[in-house]
Amino acid sequence: MDLLRSPNVAGEVTSDLLLLLLLLSFVGLRLLLSPLASNVVIRTACCSVGIALPVYSTFKAIESKDQNAQHRCLLYWAAYGSFSLVEVFTDKLISWCPMYYHMKFAFLVWLQLPPTNGAKQLYVNHMRPFLLKHQGKVDQVLGLAYSELIKLVSSYRTEIQFVKDIVVKITGSADQSLRGTNESNRSWQLSPAEDTAVPYDAETEQSNNS
């Protein structure tokens, strides 16, 4: 709380930070109240902090056209993407660690908190020097992969068009069946009202004749 009260950090406190602090408080409370379900809680918290909250922050940065916020979002997604790439290849090695998701949650929070600004530190100190050093090789590999992908798509253009036609036919038939079901439901709902109206009219006519 002292960090939030300091004048240097107070200006950086945004609604995103408040949401993050509320989420941290909620996760801590859940871990205290239900320690047996801590694994489920912390994994859900990692998904919320690592993906859901940054997606919303990116949406707000794009809509507000705030270049500083957009820059922060780009730094975070670059750091998160690198972390996810490392996590994919080391999943078998770290899956046995019982406190892995707790450490992952702390790392994701460190990436986003304005006082720590972990995403910028990770990018400036590690990612940027590495990518600048291997930028030429990466561009060559990506260019070769892109050209091979274009050749593959061109060679299977007929098959791809065939699959697209099948998908269009399936979706069209599904839409027609849904429309037919809705129309039948509407007619079924209208028919009882018409049936109940006939005895009422007949009874009224009989009473008038008497």
Side-chain angles (χ1 to χ4, degrees), residues 70-109:
Q70 293 176 5
H71 183 68
R72 288 195 299 268
C73 292
L74 286 174
L75 289 176
Y76 171 77
W77 287 118
Y80 182 81
S82 302
F83 170 74
S84 300
L85 186 63
V86 174
E87 188 180 29
V88 168
F89 290 101
T90 60
D91 181 63
K92 298 298 182 181
L93 299 176
I94 60 179
S95 59
W96 59 270
C97 182
M99 298 292 293
Y100 168 70
Y101 287 100
H102 295 75
M103 293 184 291
K104 180 179 178 180
F105 179 75
F107 174 74
L108 294 174
V109 172

Side-chain angles (χ1 to χ4, degrees), residues 100-175:
Y100 168 70
Y101 287 100
H102 295 75
M103 293 184 291
K104 180 179 178 180
F105 179 75
F107 174 74
L108 294 174
V109 172
W110 175 77
L111 287 179
Q112 299 183 57
L113 281 178
T116 58
N117 208 358
K120 184 177 181 179
Q121 295 185 30
L122 184 63
Y123 176 80
V124 173
N125 297 328
H126 301 283
M127 293 178 57
R128 187 172 183 272
F130 177 81
L131 293 176
L132 287 176
K133 182 179 180 180
H134 301 88
Q135 185 176 2
K137 296 180 180 178
V138 173
D139 290 339
Q140 291 179 0
V141 172
L142 291 179
L144 180 61
Y146 182 75
S147 61
E148 292 297 328
L149 181 62
I150 294 298
K151 293 179 182 178
L152 181 63
V153 173
S154 300
S155 60
Y156 289 97
R157 184 174 298 175
T158 305
E159 289 79 0
I160 294 174
Q161 185 63 37
F162 177 73
V163 173
K164 288 175 63 177
D165 294 338
I166 292 178
V167 171
V168 170
K169 291 180 181 179
I170 292 175
T171 54
S173 61
D175 291 337

Side-chain angles (χ1 to χ4, degrees), residues 23-96:
L23 184 58
L24 290 175
S25 302
F26 174 76
V27 172
L29 182 62
R30 292 294 298 172
L31 291 177
L32 289 175
L33 295 179
S34 57
L36 296 179
S38 61
N39 192 26
V40 177
V41 174
I42 200 66
R43 292 183 69 173
T44 305
C46 287
C47 182
S48 301
V49 173
I51 300 177
L53 183 59
V55 165
Y56 181 68
S57 301
T58 305
F59 160 75
K60 291 201 303 181
I62 294 173
E63 294 298 324
S64 63
K65 298 180 180 180
D66 186 356
Q67 294 184 357
N68 294 328
Q70 293 176 5
H71 183 68
R72 288 195 299 268
C73 292
L74 286 174
L75 289 176
Y76 171 77
W77 287 118
Y80 182 81
S82 302
F83 170 74
S84 300
L85 186 63
V86 174
E87 188 180 29
V88 168
F89 290 101
T90 60
D91 181 63
K92 298 298 182 181
L93 299 176
I94 60 179
S95 59
W96 59 270

Side-chain angles (χ1 to χ4, degrees), residues 179-189:
R179 291 176 182 175
T181 304
N182 293 331
E183 291 178 357
S184 62
N185 290 334
R186 291 176 182 175
S187 62
W188 182 82
Q189 291 175 358

